[in-house]
Amino acid sequence: MLLEIALALVLGAVIYHYIFKKKEETLQMEDGWWGAGEEPETEEEKTVRPFKIEASEEMLKDLHAPIDLTRWTAPLEDIRFHYGFNLTYLQKVASYWRNQYSWQKQVEILNKYPHFKTNIEGIDIHFIHVKPPHLPAGRTAKPLLIVHGWPGSFYEFYKIISLLTDPSSHGLSDEHIFEVICPSIPGFGFSEAPHKKGCDSVAVARIFYKLMMRLGFREFYAQGGDWGSLICTNLSQLVPSHVIGLHLNVVFLAPGAPQFLAILFRKYFLGLFGLRELYVQQMFPYTEKVLYPMVKESGYLHIQATKPDTAGFGLISSLVGLAAYILEKLSTWTDAEFCNLEDGGLERNYSLDELLTNIMIYWVSGSIISSMRFYKENLGDGLGHRKHERVKVKVPTGVASFPNELRHAPPVWAEKKYTNIVSFADMPHGGHFAAFEQPEILAADIRQFVGKVERK
């Protein structure tokens, strides 16, 4: 009886969705003002200004003091990363940070690429803009906007940029050479935080579109993961004629009839739902592979989507606390099995210098609270209030699906929203922070995707 009721409900939803709800939703280009106070009547200043990250003596002194003042507590025995960041290993990280890590040296690395700022909709937007060091005669570089997520930053892309802008120096084909524009999301890193409520992913997509226009790129490629995936998707919904191709390393889909049907009747009709064996292994048993991990890993999301300022104040006041909060995600989201290791597997894919530099970007810019607010702006009213979920993406799309990603969207589900998928690649290894962890294979997938778009 319960099975028949469930089937009736699902079929009813399908009929409503596909028969009665024929009108196609669109995403409208609006406008916004996120600066302090009232929007001025004068025309927006469009100057693009060089920017340089600095490591002052005062900042260096301020770095050691909060580490020295950390209050430690005894960890439980044999818990590894099952209770969050392992406190014994955190002491080792803090010791390295205090005695060996050099922020001056990392600032030199950060400044190896050109940084800029420009004011858009009332706030300063930070970005790096990297041009190819050389181009074959008669060739032009392909503009590529790449967007990070949380708790990442523009620094996530430092290992992939040269693979895209200077492939020949890595022994790669120069068939596709890119000019990379990598902005910081407003409220992240060195981009100014919005001063008003409501700056969600659609608003950021509009801001980044204006950035690309300001830089002279009327057509460009876009790539993103985490929040970057959603922002670039929104960009493709807002201005599809300006996005040549969209490349994502994670696809977020709102729950729909195909997913519910597959979950309910997977034992009997898997073939009808287009789920190959690989996706069955990734997603079923559903409770074990999807539902439980979602509950286990989404506590931060509920906090940041409801009361980000309260939790954020504790993080902006404690350097080591900030590191624990962010680095725990770098562990588990890279590979869920790393929670069984005493060190969370952090140094298997990243160096401590890399990990701490990402933390330092949040610390020196004081951006942890404003970055956490982005969850409330996008999720505070619930999933059902996000109009863009119902808007199809028609630009050519490529998906790099990494096996250790937090969520999986099989091609047959993804194509319901992304209606022009030209490439869907199952990557051999890697997790959520693809550009940071697996720059070579992500860059290779971007190149092959662009090749398919241009041949098509």
Side-chain angles (χ1 to χ4, degrees), residues 32 34 121 186 198-209 234 238:
W34 312 107
E121 297 191 4
C199 189
D200 60 9
S201 63
V202 177
V204 173
R206 182 181 65 239
I207 288 171
F208 288 171
Y209 163 68
N234 294 158
L238 283 169

Side-chain angles (χ1 to χ4, degrees), residues 251-256 259 389 407-410 413-415 417-418:
V251 171
F252 297 114
L253 299 176
Q259 294 97 310
E389 294 288 359
R407 295 173 63 180
H408 295 283
W413 294 359
E415 66 189 15
K417 179 173 182 175
Y418 300 87

Side-chain angles (χ1 to χ4, degrees), residues 159-452:
K159 290 186 283 188
I160 199 175
I161 287 176
S162 66
L163 292 165
L164 298 169
T165 60
D166 190 18
S168 60
S169 69
H170 298 271
L172 303 171
S173 168
D174 63 358
E175 180 182 3
H176 304 294
I177 302 176
F178 297 90
E179 183 170 345
V180 172
I181 299 88
C182 178
S184 295
I185 298 172
F188 287 70
F190 301 105
S191 277
E192 185 178 354
H195 296 266
K196 295 173 173 60
K197 298 183 294 183
C199 189
D200 60 9
S201 63
V202 177
V204 173
R206 182 181 65 239
I207 288 171
F208 288 171
Y209 163 68
K210 292 180 178 181
L211 171 65
M212 296 302 282
M213 294 300 102
R214 187 168 296 182
L215 296 176
F217 301 113
R218 298 199 61 80
E219 293 184 327
F220 52 89
Y221 288 92
Q223 199 285 328
D226 196 87
W227 282 125
S229 171
L230 181 56
I231 292 167
C232 291
T233 293
N234 294 158
L235 188 61
S236 301
Q237 295 165 320
L238 283 169
V239 288
S241 62
H242 293 273
V243 181
I244 306 170
L246 169 68
H247 187 277
L248 309 172
N249 53 273
V250 63
V251 171
F252 297 114
L253 299 176
Q259 294 97 310
F260 286 128
L261 286 168
I263 293 165
L264 284 172
F265 305 113
R266 64 189 182 279
K267 293 182 180 179
Y268 309 102
F269 308 113
L270 274 177
L272 294 177
F273 305 116
L275 297 181
R276 292 194 288 109
E277 183 62 29
L278 171 64
Y279 304 115
V280 174
Q281 292 176 1
Q282 288 176 339
M283 300 174 65
F284 299 103
Y286 191 79
T287 300
E288 175 187 333
K289 296 290 185 67
V290 179
L291 188 58
Y292 176 68
M294 186 184 305
V295 172
K296 181 181 177 182
E297 291 299 324
S298 61
Y300 82 98
L301 185 150
H302 294 286
I303 293 172
Q304 294 176 194
T306 53
K307 305 293 179 65
D309 286 25
T310 304
F313 188 74
L315 300 177
I316 203 170
S317 303
S318 170
L319 183 56
V320 176
L322 175 66
Y325 193 74
I326 289 179
L327 293 184
E328 185 255 314
K329 304 306 180 192
L330 269 293
S331 166
T332 309
W333 294 0
T334 297
D335 190 334
E337 295 301 317
F338 284 171
C339 68
N340 297 313
L341 303 175
E342 295 291 339
D343 63 356
L346 282 166
E347 294 179 70
R348 293 191 176 191
N349 297 282
Y350 319 104
S351 70
L352 281 179
D353 281 344
E354 291 170 344
L355 294 169
L356 294 175
T357 296
N358 184 60
I359 306 299
M360 287 295 294
I361 290 171
Y362 279 89
W363 182 258
V364 300
S365 64
S367 62
I368 186 59
I369 294 178
S370 53
S371 73
M372 293 164 70
R373 287 176 185 157
F374 201 55
Y375 283 79
K376 186 169 180 65
E377 303 297 2
N378 286 285
L379 303 172
D381 292 329
L383 295 175
H385 292 266
R386 303 195 301 177
K387 182 179 178 181
H388 58 79
E389 294 288 359
R390 302 186 294 273
V391 180
K392 305 291 186 184
V393 178
K394 299 179 180 179
V395 305
T397 303
V399 178
S401 179
F402 286 82
N404 294 328
E405 184 53 84
L406 300 171
R407 295 173 63 180
H408 295 283
V412 70
W413 294 359
E415 66 189 15
K416 301 299 182 184
K417 179 173 182 175
Y418 300 87
T419 61
N420 189 10
I421 294 178
V422 300
S423 171
F424 196 108
D426 296 311
M427 311 309 282
H429 45 264
H432 187 67
F433 304 96
F436 202 24
E437 179 197 355
Q438 303 292 341
E440 292 84 3
I441 61 175
L442 180 62
D445 196 69
I446 294 170
R447 288 196 299 270
Q448 69 84 26
F449 161 68
V450 169
K452 287 183 178 180

